[in-house]
Amino acid sequence: ASSTSPAVSYVVAGPASITGTTKVGQKITCSITAGATITYKWTKNGAEVAGVTTKDVTVPASWLNGSVTCSATVTKNATSVTQTSAAKTIALGNAPVATVKPKLKGTFKVGKIITCAKGTWSPTPDSYKYAWFRGAKKIAGATKATYKLVKADKGKKVACQVTVKKAGHADGKAKSAAKLIS
């Protein structure tokens, strides 16, 4: 005589982990090995992040310095198992980079006003600051996108530097090519 026991449903789910670069602006993934339906939840500093239920997340600036975990709930035949990753701390994102460097525009003669074109940056900054240089020395008080050339500039090279800020990222800096003033 043979007998067969009723089938028992079980769920196999490996440990959850966060993979990717844990910096603002970078993509991170909640990774788990499982052969069933999976739902995801992210937490920051122990509190569930509302509305974030995807496997992959681009780290927002609001997560900077936070302790982040992901949980994966694996469900098969009405049985569920939840695995939670180890916490990871989110670091400052990479500085924006000038894909097109700042450039000086105008007539390069004493008494004329020249402009520092800010260039193109990636990712797009939230704000821009300007500094002007005569040779290697910063010109005191010159902090606008425009600068009026003075007698001290004659025969010297002038350049501008743009410093950009983006929430959750390091500051980015780029300097224009210098122009000789006549």
Side-chain angles (χ1 to χ4, degrees), residues 3-153:
S3 71
T4 304
S5 61
V8 176
S9 180
Y10 65 94
V11 177
V12 176
S17 64
I18 296 174
T19 58
T21 304
T22 52
K23 287 184 174 183
V24 171
Q26 300 295 312
K27 183 176 105 172
I28 57 176
T29 300
C30 187
S31 297
I32 189 165
T33 303
T37 304
I38 305 170
T39 56
Y40 299 93
K41 177 173 77 171
W42 292 84
T43 62
K44 182 185 117 192
N45 298 333
E48 185 174 347
V49 180
V52 181
T53 58
T54 56
K55 177 180 183 173
D56 298 314
V57 175
T58 298
V59 180
S62 62
W63 289 13
L64 178 62
N65 296 324
S67 177
V68 174
T69 63
C70 72
S71 296
T73 300
V74 180
T75 305
K76 185 173 183 178
N77 300 329
T79 301
S80 296
V81 171
T82 299
Q83 296 282 358
T84 301
S85 72
K88 299 261 185 157
T89 301
I90 302 300
L92 197 62
N94 296 335
V97 174
T99 55
V100 175
K101 285 191 157 211
K103 184 177 183 179
L104 296 181
K105 295 183 176 185
T107 303
F108 304 102
K109 291 186 179 193
V110 170
K112 299 293 184 180
I113 294 175
I114 58 176
T115 300
C116 181
K118 63 188 174 191
T120 304
W121 296 79
S122 179
T124 303
D126 298 327
S127 66
Y128 302 83
K129 284 184 164 184
Y130 300 88
W132 291 85
F133 291 82
R134 181 181 304 118
K137 290 189 177 185
K138 191 183 257 190
I139 301 171
T143 59
K144 296 185 178 179
T146 58
Y147 172 70
K148 185 172 183 177
L149 295 165
V150 297
K151 286 182 185 178
D153 297 321

